[in-house]
Each structure stands twice: as structure tokens, then as C-alpha cells.
């Protein structure tokens, strides 16, 4: 039986740099308990020629401890194409693993917990898209990347929250169907002259925030800077100082270096950004994504050991869905 590392023992130098990035949220004792598993994952990645892709909402131990590529949905999709690894482990949710598989059809893509879903992705099906197209014949369909491969296969182009406006305007048409996030659709409609026909899906994390939350935190923290994700309700976005994707929020903190900031998004995002912004104080009402938190160091290790569960997409669906994602990547940020 392995001995439990003492909380008084000095950290292994191999783990010191990573610990410096997470010390604001993980104690030395906790980190010492995690490092054998982090080492095991590192060895398995070498053995299996694997990489771990981690979304910005992952826990700090995963984000800073075992990931090889980190970022928002677009960054993960784009950088997955460039890896020479034989195996991709998606530390995120199921639609992200599907997107990685679409862009890397010859690679093994692992989803450590297949039940890690997304309320947005589950709010619409391919059949729903076909019904929308029948109701609005000839109108192009833009799908937020937070959708299943089944949905992606039925649309013209995908987008992320960071490039949604650019994607909509790239089509050069007077109106588009935009799905599935109602609030992102509302935000995009306010940024373009293109008429937006929305679907009524929501993110179960972002829809919890209210404008009153922002007022309360501003009252408690004078000089607070509020930056919000466009999946939040319109009154929240109206009360924020800046609206952007997770990558754009991260860039804002890096560049503007606010004294204190309220990131109106999933809680772990602030934990991960703190490592790059030690001079900024973060206000955190801790709204966690229950699906993202299903991914753990343990099930990442288990997936690498067994090379299961694997993400597979029917060939015809994959071909059509891949085209919509590749069109998004061609537009860029």
C-alpha cells in the first residue's frame, strides 16, 4: 500500500510550478495527495501517446495539473487538429468530445464520463432543426458549438460565443436561424443588423445569474469590474462592464488587470484565471456546472488505462457535422 504523503513534506520539484498556479485554491496537503495520481496520468499519456484537452471550466487540479491544451470551445476544437497524439482525452463535456472526434476522425477520443452533458446541447435535436428549417425555408442555420453532432449535421455553420457575430455576418444574408441559446441569440441580435430567429435553450449555470446579483456585489465591493458571458440573461449583460466568451474574459483580466473582478460564469473559471492574475481580487458566487464536475483526475486516469469510453459518430452524420465545424474554423475568432 502506498504511503500517504505528509503535508509537512516538501513538494517534489516536478510539481512545484503547477502548485504555484493552484496554491490559492488547493492547500499543500491536498496537492501532495493529488500528485501520485497526476504522475500516473503523465506516465499513461507518454505510454499511450495521449493528450488531455481541458476546458476553462475544469477544476484547477485538472486544468493546471494534467492538461496539455486548455481554452474555450473554439480553442480546443482548433488545437485538437494540430496534435500528433494518437489519443485525445476530453476534460470537458460530451459535445466537446464529439467536436474533437469530428476533427480527428482517425484518433481515439475518450470521454472520461459519458454522462457529462450540457443543458444547451440537450435542449435541441436534429429533428428540431429540420422542423425549424421547414418553418423558415431557405434561411441558413447557425448553431452554437454547444450542440450534439446530430444537430451540427443539420446546420450550415457552427459558432462559439466569441465569434458568433462574425459568423452570422459572414453569411451575407438578411436573417438566420440561431440555436440553441436564447440569450446568446439575443446578444448577437443586438450586435448586428441581421435578423435573428432564436431557439429557446438556456445554460443551467448562466441562467441562474441576475442583475440583482451584480448590484449586490457592486454594493459590497466598491470599484468592482463585472465581466459576463453572453449565455447570461439580457439584464445581466446590460449590467456588466464587459461581455465576452471565456477566452475573451480571460484576455480582459490579463490586459486590464482590474483591482477586483466578478466573472459572471462558471465558478472554476475564476479559480483558473487567478493563476495568471495574482494582483486581481476575484468575487465568486460559486455557480458550478454539474456536468463539468463529473470529470475527475480518477476517471481521466481510468480512461487512459482502458482507452474507454470512446466517442464514436456515425460516418454520414460525422461528414455533415464536420463540415459545419470546419466552416466555423475558417471564419476564425
Amino acid at each position: 500500500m502506498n504511503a500517504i504523503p505528509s503535508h509537512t513534506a516538501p513538494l517534489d520539484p516536478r510539481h512545484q510550478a503547477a502548485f504555484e498556479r493552484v496554491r490559492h485554491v488547493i492547500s499543500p496537503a491536498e496537492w501532495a495527495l493529488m500528485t501520485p495520481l497526476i504522475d500516473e496520468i503523465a506516465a499513461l499519456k507518454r505510454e499511450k501517446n495521449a493528450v488531455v484537452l481541458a476546458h476553462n471550466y475544469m477544476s484547477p487540479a485538472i486544468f493546471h495539473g494534467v492538461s496539455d491544451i486548455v481554452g474555450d470551445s473554439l480553442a480546443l476544437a482548433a488545437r485538437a487538429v494540430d496534435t500528433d497524439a494518437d489519443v485525445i482525452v476530453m476534460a470537458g463535456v460530451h459535445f466537446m468530445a464529439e467536436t474533437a472526434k469530428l476533427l480527428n476522425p482517425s484518433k481515439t477520443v475518450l470521454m472520461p464520463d459519458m454522462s457529462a452533458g450540457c443543458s444547451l446541447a440537450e435542449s435541441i435535436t436534429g429533428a428540431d432543426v429540420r422542423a425549424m428549417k421547414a418553418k423558415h425555408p431557405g434561411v441558413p442555420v447557425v448553431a452554437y458549438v454547444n450542440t450534439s453532432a446530430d444537430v451540427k449535421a443539420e446546420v450550415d455553420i457552427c459558432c462559439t460565443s466569441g465569434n458568433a457575430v462574425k459568423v452570422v455576418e459572414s453569411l451575407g444574408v438578411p436573417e438566420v436561424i440561431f440555436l440553441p441559446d436564447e440569450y446568446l441569440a439575443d446578444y448577437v441580435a443586438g450586435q448586428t443588423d441581421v435578423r435573428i430567429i432564436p431557439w429557446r435553450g438556456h445554460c443551467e449555470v448562466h441562467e441562474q445569474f441576475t442583475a440583482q446579483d451584480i448590484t449586490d456585489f457592486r454594493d459590497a465591493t466598491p470599484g468592482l469590474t463585472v465581466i459576463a458571458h453572453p449565455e447570461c440573461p439580457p439584464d445581466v449583460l446590460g449590467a456588466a462592464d464587459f461581455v465576452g466568451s471565456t477566452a475573451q474574459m480571460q484576455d480582459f483580466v490579463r490586459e486590464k488587470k482590474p483591482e477586483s473582478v466578478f466573472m459572471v460564469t462558471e465558478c472554476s473559471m475564476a479559480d483558473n484565471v487567478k493563476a495568471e492574475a495574482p494582483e486581481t481580487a476575484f468575487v465568486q458566487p460559486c455557480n458550478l456546472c454539474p456536468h463539468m464536475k463529473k470529470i475527475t483526475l480518477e476517471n481521466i486516469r481510468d480512461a487512459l488505462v482502458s482507452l474507454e469510453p470512446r466517442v464514436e459518430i456515425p460516418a454520414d452524420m460525422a461528414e455533415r457535422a464536420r463540415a459545419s465545424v470546419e466552416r466555423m474554423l475558417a471564419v476564425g475568432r
Side-chain angles (χ1 to χ4, degrees):
M1 182 175 176
N2 293 334
I4 296 176
S6 167
H7 72 279
T8 59
L11 286 175
D12 185 316
R14 292 174 302 156
H15 300 298
Q16 187 65 47
F19 176 67
E20 289 302 317
R21 296 194 292 271
V22 300
R23 66 185 310 145
H24 55 284
V25 289
I26 301 176
S27 71
E30 291 173 310
W31 188 249
L33 290 169
M34 293 175 182
T35 52
L37 190 50
I38 290 171
D39 285 341
E40 190 177 355
I41 290 169
L44 285 163
K45 287 195 295 182
R46 290 191 295 271
E47 176 189 336
K48 306 291 177 75
N49 189 26
V51 292
V52 174
L53 275 58
H55 189 266
N56 290 328
Y57 294 162
M58 280 294 103
S59 67
I62 293 171
F63 191 87
H64 293 291
V66 300
S67 65
D68 301 287
I69 298 172
V70 299
D72 63 3
S73 299
L74 181 59
L76 295 183
R79 295 184 65 189
V81 180
D82 298 330
T83 178
D84 293 326
D86 297 315
V87 177
I88 294 172
V89 183
M90 177 54 70
V93 292
H94 192 265
F95 77 79
M96 296 178 185
E98 283 192 328
T99 304
K101 182 63 177 177
L102 290 174
L103 296 173
N104 296 272
S106 65
K107 298 182 188 297
T108 297
V109 176
L110 305 176
M111 184 69 218
D113 187 332
M114 283 290 196
S115 70
C118 169
S119 59
L120 277 175
E122 292 162 10
S123 75
I124 190 168
T125 67
D128 292 325
V129 180
R130 291 192 293 273
M132 284 282 281
K133 291 196 290 187
K135 186 177 178 180
H136 303 279
V139 177
V141 184
V142 178
Y144 193 21
V145 76
N146 297 37
T147 46
S148 67
D150 175 43
V151 167
K152 289 182 175 71
E154 300 294 337
V155 308
D156 296 284
I157 189 170
C158 291
C159 72
T160 70
S161 55
N163 71 358
V165 175
K166 188 174 181 180
V167 165
V168 166
E169 294 187 338
S170 74
L171 299 175
V173 295
E175 62 180 358
V176 302
I177 297 168
F178 190 99
L179 52 89
D181 190 275
E182 176 183 10
Y183 297 146
L184 179 58
D186 183 80
Y187 174 74
V188 171
Q191 306 294 311
T192 180
D193 292 330
V194 179
R195 177 175 175 256
I196 304 297
I197 303 169
W199 182 259
R200 304 298 180 185
H202 299 135
C203 167
E204 64 189 283
V205 174
H206 290 99
E207 70 178 343
Q208 296 178 46
F209 292 103
T210 67
Q212 188 61 49
D213 291 334
I214 295 178
T215 298
D216 292 345
F217 280 107
R218 286 196 194 276
D219 289 345
T221 311
L224 181 68
T225 299
V226 178
I227 58 178
H229 194 281
E231 289 176 24
C232 293
D235 61 340
V236 172
L237 303 185
D241 299 301
F242 174 79
V243 176
S245 68
T246 56
Q248 290 165 340
M249 295 167 81
Q250 192 171 25
D251 290 343
F252 181 96
V253 174
R254 280 200 205 104
E255 295 166 9
K256 303 297 184 182
K257 303 185 188 306
E259 181 178 341
S260 59
V261 66
F262 174 13
M263 300 183 76
V264 192
T265 190
E266 210 271 356
C267 185
S268 292
M269 173 78 179
D271 286 338
N272 294 326
V273 174
K274 280 181 187 178
E276 300 180 36
E279 70 283 357
T280 296
F282 288 79
V283 171
Q284 287 178 261
C286 211
N287 291 355
L288 293 170
C289 174
H291 306 290
M292 290 282 185
K293 296 306 175 277
K294 289 181 178 180
I295 308 303
T296 66
L297 290 173
E298 288 80 7
N299 58 29
I300 290 173
R301 184 270 316 279
D302 293 346
L304 284 166
V305 168
S306 65
L307 294 183
E308 296 287 347
R310 301 187 183 199
V311 173
E312 302 291 351
I313 304 169
D316 177 62
M317 179 187 296
E319 183 178 356
R320 291 179 292 127
R322 184 180 304 114
S324 68
V325 176
E326 288 176 341
R327 292 184 194 112
M328 171 187 74
L329 296 176
V331 172
R333 288 200 180 277

